[in-house]
Amino acid sequence: MAKERSENWKYYDHLKKIYKKPEDYELAGKSYTRVDAEDKVTGRAKYTEDIILPGMLYGKLKRSPYAHAKIISIDTSKAEALSGVKCVITGKDFHGGKLGNPEAFKELADKDPLCRDEVRFVGDEVAAVAAVDEETAQEAIDLIEVVYEELPCVLNSTDALKDDAPAVHYPDTHNISMFTTMQAGDCDKAFAEADYTDKHHYSTQMMVHAAIEPHGAIAKWENNELTVWTTTQGAYVSRFWIAYGLGIPQSQVRVIKPYVGGGFGGKLDAFPHELSACLMAMKTGRPVKIILSREEVFFGTRSRHPIEFTIESAFKKDGTMLAKRCQHVLDGGAYGGSGIAANALSLIWATFPYRIPNLDMTARRPYTNKPASGAMRGYSACQVHFANDVHMDEVAEELGIDPVELRRINGCVPGYQGPTGLQVTSCAFRETLDKASEAIHWEERKNNLKPGEGIGVAGSGFVSGTGFPVLETPAYASASTTVRLNREGYATVFTGANEIGQGSDTVMTMIVAEELGLKMDEVKLVQSDTTLTPYDAGSFGSRVTFLGGNATRRAVGDAKLKLLEVVAESWGCKPEDITMKDHRVFIKSDSEKNISYSEGIWMYEEKHFGKAVIGVGSFAHDGDKDIYVKNEGNYAPAYSFSTGAARVEVDDETGCIDISDFIFAHDCGRPLNLRAVEGQIEGSVLLGLGFAVYEECLFNEKGKMLNPSFRDYRFPTALDMPQIQSIICGEPDEEGPFGAKEAGEGSTAPVGPAIVNAINRATGLKFHDLPVTPEKVWRAIKEKKAAEAANH
Amino acid sequence: MAKERSENWKYYDHLKKIYKKPEDYELAGKSYTRVDAEDKVTGRAKYTEDIILPGMLYGKLKRSPYAHAKIISIDTSKAEALSGVKCVITGKDFHGGKLGNPEAFKELADKDPLCRDEVRFVGDEVAAVAAVDEETAQEAIDLIEVVYEELPCVLNSTDALKDDAPAVHYPDTHNISMFTTMQAGDCDKAFAEADYTDKHHYSTQMMVHAAIEPHGAIAKWENNELTVWTTTQGAYVSRFWIAYGLGIPQSQVRVIKPYVGGGFGGKLDAFPHELSACLMAMKTGRPVKIILSREEVFFGTRSRHPIEFTIESAFKKDGTMLAKRCQHVLDGGAYGGSGIAANALSLIWATFPYRIPNLDMTARRPYTNKPASGAMRGYSACQVHFANDVHMDEVAEELGIDPVELRRINGCVPGYQGPTGLQVTSCAFRETLDKASEAIHWEERKNNLKPGEGIGVAGSGFVSGTGFPVLETPAYASASTTVRLNREGYATVFTGANEIGQGSDTVMTMIVAEELGLKMDEVKLVQSDTTLTPYDAGSFGSRVTFLGGNATRRAVGDAKLKLLEVVAESWGCKPEDITMKDHRVFIKSDSEKNISYSEGIWMYEEKHFGKAVIGVGSFAHDGDKDIYVKNEGNYAPAYSFSTGAARVEVDDETGCIDISDFIFAHDCGRPLNLRAVEGQIEGSVLLGLGFAVYEECLFNEKGKMLNPSFRDYRFPTALDMPQIQSIICGEPDEEGPFGAKEAGEGSTAPVGPAIVNAINRATGLKFHDLPVTPEKVWRAIKEKKAAEAANH
């Protein structure tokens, strides 16, 4: 590997000798049941909504009916007078900072916990009430009288950039909340020398996460400490913003993440309902719970950025890609939050999985008067890979090169170093391409398609963990774990990794059990509680398995080494001569020489005067620092690669799209829990399918969302799912925990373009704008037939 | 100091250089508010009884009406048929071991969780029921039909030792559950050479702890793990016995200690209600709560051993004590449990606070058919010091030496090494004697007493932490703590120390805050939960401040050193050049050079790639090993010393005793929280007062307790309290945390004998048997007057 190993790795090198060797793995790579399965299937799992505290009040939020308006006055007197109402707050009651994300960019934070002067989207929060029950709280909300002066609004990114557009936040900025560029090589020269250039426009729609659990929070104020249970993807991140928004020290806030019913990026930010619950708990001295309705989750939380793409590419005749120019315009909605990262990420994804030596790219994220866009699973990657991989098929057609072959020619290879600093280590992109196309019977089918049948492929790459370069230190985006070995025959792991349904609790448990030779139920997991667990930046950027997993393996390794050093000294051997398996500590060369796990811990504690065997581990990717500053550098410690292949049948009478097969070939290194990886892939296909042909948030001309419900916002259900075949590719990554790389986000990105490429092939049409709904297909087929008829 | 410092100390020596120096202490030695004060005064504190879980069942126990009987049959059919009853269990449902304490003596464990064949006291547990409410459970208990065959019973220790006594457990053992001897020097020679010898008999009564919170437990069985909330003084100890009694691995049991409303030794053992709640939770799959009634706490838990003492002592004319022979007979009640330690402890206490070169002592603990005796605050010491210090006054009178002077002559001094291995380090016994006698105006008053007025003094010594030498390793009785320093400006301490009302949470918090220069509320405490906190043997033997406190200081020291090493490297100085104060890290020689606490942690985390700053500390007294085996060795790492001085007025018409003043002079090293030490002393006086003149459990001839209620069992209340003056003596102990020694148990022991010595002086009588109730005094005065009248 060309990539130089960073200090982060070297620091923990001494543990390598006592890590379990691949030939001894008993759990890693196998399938096993989630540790939370029984809690979840029995309904015992406590989600935020399930928590009831004595004396608890229930809160509701007052929201703006206007997309853009000045707040002239707020009269809360009638609400306050209502019996059962304990607290009414407005923006003026907050004395802390504005909300944003991440901490490093807190100067860019732009969202008052409750609006003070202006509202910026239909649903923007202007007041909150806490009352003895939800009905009373809602009644009080309706009694709050807000006088607005309506302002002109802007509802799409193209309009937002115009010179005469109304300013959503700041005048004279063209509404741009973030501007990013990335250049490499010499694009002008490459375009001039190219055999072929192509230019197209693509666009994607606004989509929501539709997590099964709505957002909610409960706050309790006791002994001058705020305890907050909240639906978060990052307990530590939530804590920062809660403290910051309230203007109190973080040491006065404890955030506990209960079970979370899906996040998908939508639970990364700090939300007005959290801050309002906190402030009202502080004012009343009683716990306050606010759970958003499904409708509020749609327009009051976060959504996926709609992006407009203009892509120009330059190729040689033989298919070698020479250069790409592109402009991304992301519709940011009314606020920043985690959404401001979308811009830079969209450019990063555009640099791979294909090798492009010359790049000239810009991304702009204008504000609009719509709900804020934010992170969503496959953050910016779903949109970017859709545009790029549909573009790739168009280029292939023009060049007369098979689309699979064109991708093979240009795809990343192990050790590839991108022109902007990308450093690929393990990479099985070509294998994913080969296996996916083989499984879809590409060669047999491509020239023998039935009428209305189409096949398509698409590739993608994704980061295995990334981080924000806050305070110019990688420690900010770190993961830290502690592990305690217990003389009573088990281990306890304290991890900040935020289980949000993805299975991280199971993976952290497995890592500890595997290293110590314990059973899964002999590892107790303590997770995501700022008092109990060490710092972890949260569940985003596909960082949990790689960063959290490595931190956990290093922590258990640290504890294991301490233990083995004592045993080795007693046995007159070296720690690396000893292995742990089946609840026993063995000397490798002499299986007769062994003691139980508990006896080993006793031996340590006796020697160390009762000291608990504690291991500490961490992971901090130290290659990130320059990315957001100079837009160059290596984005992540490892990269996953994948190819999706779809076979569709399109009914030319109705436009209906039947996805008959979906093949997903994914290089995620060694899958730590095979069943979980397959589950991630199947979930990814569902998400990609919804993105490609089903889902879209619709607004009227006043900025009101028209379909904020599971009835009107159509996403695919189990009945809509195609037959999915998952193919795990690649080799264990040298630096992943037990060789693992990410499996949850990268896998979403190639689904949409593979399906659209198949639809384009099936219909002979070129769809550039998502979603490709049956209606859109039907209209396009009708137009095409009319045009053909007119030509004949 | 003659005592050689053990390896335990040397292991942590490297931390001494960065510990805060006495001149910089900001908290240690001062008075401050308990960390749990607000929770307790607002009623927010959750005790076991306050915990309510969804679907919870309520349990009750069926108890024996006989002091001794064979169980012929148990018919539970009617109980099972009762609507609302979910589970009925008897002894046969348990498949684990018998209950006892400590773990090291599990071969001696003698108590089935529910009786199988025999019942051994009135109240012995034979069956348990779980039902939807307490009333139904009680109704079901009454429907259980047990057929007994009554057996002869034995109700006091003298009868129990007789050849023809019925066997409470095992035939041909004279009912002796424990036999201990201790010899040193040559007693025969010393007695032969003595100027004066004396022999007396003393006795003490059965007494209960009367903790304000009754015993109770809640058990939940989920995911093959048992979670138990229980009123325990040792979460880890409870876990051992719960697992052992159920026959499941400890790794399947999690014990959580909620707030506990007083333990005083009565919540150290494993109890049938705990095991029954667990088994019924496992059988029903629903949480089961059992809270004992006040009556059940009286006869169904533990009580203080009544002891019969025969003491012979040998003195020189000048008051020098030469030798002591004594026999202790302890009434053990029906079972062993923690009570089996009482025997050896009674001999240990007899070796100090007076220097006795020649010793010949035996202790026997016979079983009787009464409730089991166990640990109680000042375990065996209250009884032993009563007998020894009343004896001392009698000797003083015979020798014509002032009682204070006799104690001064014989009292322990710093560096004293006892003939059985006792190694005194810091010792201010003489100072306590001087200050107490001065404060009671001993010299002025002793020859100017009004009729009916008396003054008395008594001394005691106690261990600062001891442990059970289980598995022949001191690690068994260890305390271990971890401390995490958090970049957000606070610290988290994980301690197994069991707060039972004594204030240990406050002390652990203070230790961490003091070392780090934080405020008390910037230290979050996580305590007494076997999953969250490292091993701690429990709250007993006055071990918490000394062992737990040292473990915590070592843990925070370990973390602090890690931090300071990084800062020192950056500043080009040594860790010992740096101090932490007011939330900042300073270089001592240059107060301008400083960073905030948070910045310091960032510095560490950056250097160590996001690794959490974790410190681990422990304390394991390694001098204990031989005590219970050979009855010699050093019992504890340090010793407290005290003198009590009482002034009483006895009404010779009624026998009423008015304790007008009580002076308590205590050498506890540096008091960590002055207010808490004073509270401990005041509580000790209350307890000693009850022991001396109020409390006694009474039984009828069938072994039924006659006064199991707060109405019939009279203990002193606030209105009965004398004026108390606390005097803190001594110097900081070299090895105590911040110089502290114990303050909670040793302080109980001299109260009784000081009061009785004062009564004896006031009345001219010799009371040898506790309690010295007004009735007893009145009768004795009447007899004395009658005798005097007869003589005239």
Side-chain angles (χ1 to χ4, degrees), chain A residues 11 225 251 524 608-609 618, chain B residues 11 225 251 524 608-609 618:
Chain A
Y11 181 75
E225 189 184 74
S251 56
K524 313 282 176 200
H608 295 280
F609 306 98
S618 64
Chain B
Y11 181 74
E225 189 184 73
S251 56
K524 313 282 175 200
H608 295 281
F609 306 97
S618 64

Side-chain angles (χ1 to χ4, degrees), chain B residues 468-604:
Chain B
F468 300 114
V470 176
L471 300 180
E472 303 200 345
T473 165
Y476 182 76
S478 63
S480 190
T481 304
T482 61
V483 171
R484 198 181 78 223
L485 311 190
N486 306 298
R487 50 170 89 160
E488 299 86 359
Y490 68 107
T492 317
V493 50
F494 296 77
T495 171
N498 289 259
E499 167 73 74
I500 53 172
Q502 82 276 45
S504 69
D505 281 359
T506 307
V507 160
M508 300 307 154
T509 302
M510 180 286 279
I511 289 172
V512 175
E514 179 76 281
E515 274 302 341
L516 298 176
L518 296 178
K519 285 182 277 186
M520 293 277 283
D521 66 2
E522 289 167 337
V523 176
K524 313 282 175 200
L525 188 93
V526 182
Q527 53 103 355
S528 305
D529 176 324
T530 58
T531 289
L532 301 181
T533 55
Y535 184 84
D536 185 285
S539 284
F540 63 87
S542 286
R543 62 187 290 288
V544 180
T545 291
F546 203 95
L547 274 66
N550 265 320
T552 298
R553 195 177 195 198
R554 289 164 170 189
V556 67
D558 185 33
K560 184 177 175 179
L561 180 58
K562 285 178 180 161
L563 184 65
L564 297 191
E565 279 170 349
V566 170
V567 178
E569 191 187 335
S570 145
W571 288 353
C573 66
K574 289 179 186 165
E576 51 267 44
D577 298 334
I578 301 175
T579 189
M580 296 177 77
K581 195 180 166 183
D582 296 337
H583 218 284
R584 298 196 75 76
V585 185
F586 285 91
I587 197 156
K588 286 178 194 172
S589 58
D590 176 7
S591 64
E592 296 296 299
K593 192 145 189 175
N594 68 79
I595 54 175
S596 76
Y597 171 83
S598 298
E599 286 165 334
I601 297 167
W602 270 108
M603 205 184 271
Y604 177 92

Side-chain angles (χ1 to χ4, degrees), chain A residues 436-458 643-651 656-664 685 689 693 720-725 750-763:
Chain A
S437 53
E438 190 185 327
I440 203 85
H441 303 290
W442 184 265
E443 288 303 323
E444 302 93 296
R445 280 202 174 111
K446 68 178 183 186
N447 299 316
N448 297 299
L449 293 167
K450 292 178 292 185
E453 188 185 18
I455 53 176
V457 297
T643 298
R647 185 167 71 90
V648 307
E649 287 167 80
V650 179
D651 184 330
C656 278
I657 302 151
D658 178 33
I659 289 125
S660 28
D661 289 297
F662 201 94
I663 315 294
F664 204 99
V685 173
L689 177 59
V693 303
D720 303 306
M721 287 289 279
Q723 189 68 34
I724 301 168
Q725 186 185 345
V751 181
I755 289 171
V756 174
N757 283 338
I759 293 171
N760 286 350
R761 184 171 280 234
T763 58

Side-chain angles (χ1 to χ4, degrees), chain B residues 272-304:
Chain B
H273 69 270
E274 290 172 309
L275 275 289
S276 297
C278 291
L279 185 59
M280 293 195 292
M282 292 171 79
K283 283 186 178 284
T284 61
R286 291 170 65 168
V288 176
K289 178 195 266 188
I290 302 183
I291 306 290
L292 299 192
S293 69
R294 176 58 60 186
E295 197 176 29
E296 286 176 298
V297 173
F298 263 90
F299 58 69
T301 63
R302 290 293 180 275
S303 49
R304 174 176 277 173

Side-chain angles (χ1 to χ4, degrees), chain B residues 225 380 406 433 475 487 511 574 617 702 773:
Chain B
E225 189 184 73
S380 289
L406 186 65
L433 198 56
R487 50 170 89 160
I511 289 172
K574 289 179 186 165
K702 300 292 265 179
T773 58

Side-chain angles (χ1 to χ4, degrees), chain A residues 300-545:
Chain A
T301 63
R302 290 293 180 274
S303 50
R304 174 176 277 174
H305 288 80
I307 310 186
E308 304 281 335
F309 296 91
T310 307
I311 300 177
E312 273 182 283
S313 57
F315 283 81
K316 289 207 283 190
K317 255 189 305 207
D318 66 2
T320 309
M321 194 168 187
L322 296 175
K324 178 156 75 173
R325 284 197 188 110
C326 62
Q327 291 89 44
H328 300 172
V329 180
L330 293 82
D331 182 346
Y335 294 103
S338 66
I340 55 170
N343 235 42
L345 287 171
S346 79
L347 299 185
I348 290 170
W349 310 133
T351 69
F352 68 111
Y354 307 115
R355 289 167 292 145
I356 315 171
N358 303 290
L359 290 164
D360 184 2
M361 311 191 289
T362 65
R364 285 170 294 172
R365 181 184 184 273
Y367 287 121
T368 60
N369 291 115
K370 286 193 299 190
S373 303
M376 184 167 169
R377 187 176 182 184
Y379 194 10
S380 289
C382 288
Q383 300 102 303
V384 170
H385 288 309
F386 158 72
N388 285 348
D389 258 66
V390 169
H391 184 80
M392 210 68 173
D393 260 33
E394 294 177 305
V395 171
E397 193 180 331
E398 295 292 336
L399 289 175
I401 297 176
D402 178 273
V404 172
E405 184 56 26
L406 185 65
R407 287 174 170 86
R408 188 177 292 115
I409 292 166
N410 292 293
C412 277
V413 291
Y416 168 65
Q417 300 208 36
T420 58
L422 177 80
Q423 294 191 320
V424 171
T425 50
S426 66
C427 169
F429 178 61
R430 285 187 180 171
E431 185 189 341
T432 69
L433 198 57
D434 292 345
K435 293 214 168 137
S437 53
E438 190 185 327
I440 203 85
H441 303 290
W442 184 265
E443 288 303 323
E444 302 93 296
R445 280 202 174 111
K446 68 178 183 186
N447 299 316
N448 297 299
L449 293 167
K450 292 178 292 185
E453 188 185 18
I455 53 176
V457 297
S460 87
F462 205 78
V463 292
S464 280
T466 186
F468 300 114
V470 177
L471 300 181
E472 304 202 344
T473 166
Y476 182 78
S478 63
S480 190
T481 304
T482 61
V483 171
R484 198 181 77 222
L485 310 191
N486 304 298
R487 51 171 87 163
E488 299 86 0
Y490 69 107
T492 316
V493 50
F494 295 78
T495 171
N498 289 259
E499 168 73 76
I500 53 172
Q502 82 275 45
S504 69
D505 282 359
T506 307
V507 160
M508 300 307 154
T509 303
M510 180 287 279
I511 288 171
V512 175
E514 178 76 281
E515 274 301 341
L516 298 175
L518 297 177
K519 286 181 277 184
M520 293 277 283
D521 65 3
E522 288 166 338
V523 176
K524 313 282 176 200
L525 188 93
V526 182
Q527 53 101 357
S528 305
D529 176 324
T530 58
T531 289
L532 301 180
T533 55
Y535 185 84
D536 186 284
S539 284
F540 63 86
S542 287
R543 63 187 289 289
V544 180
T545 291

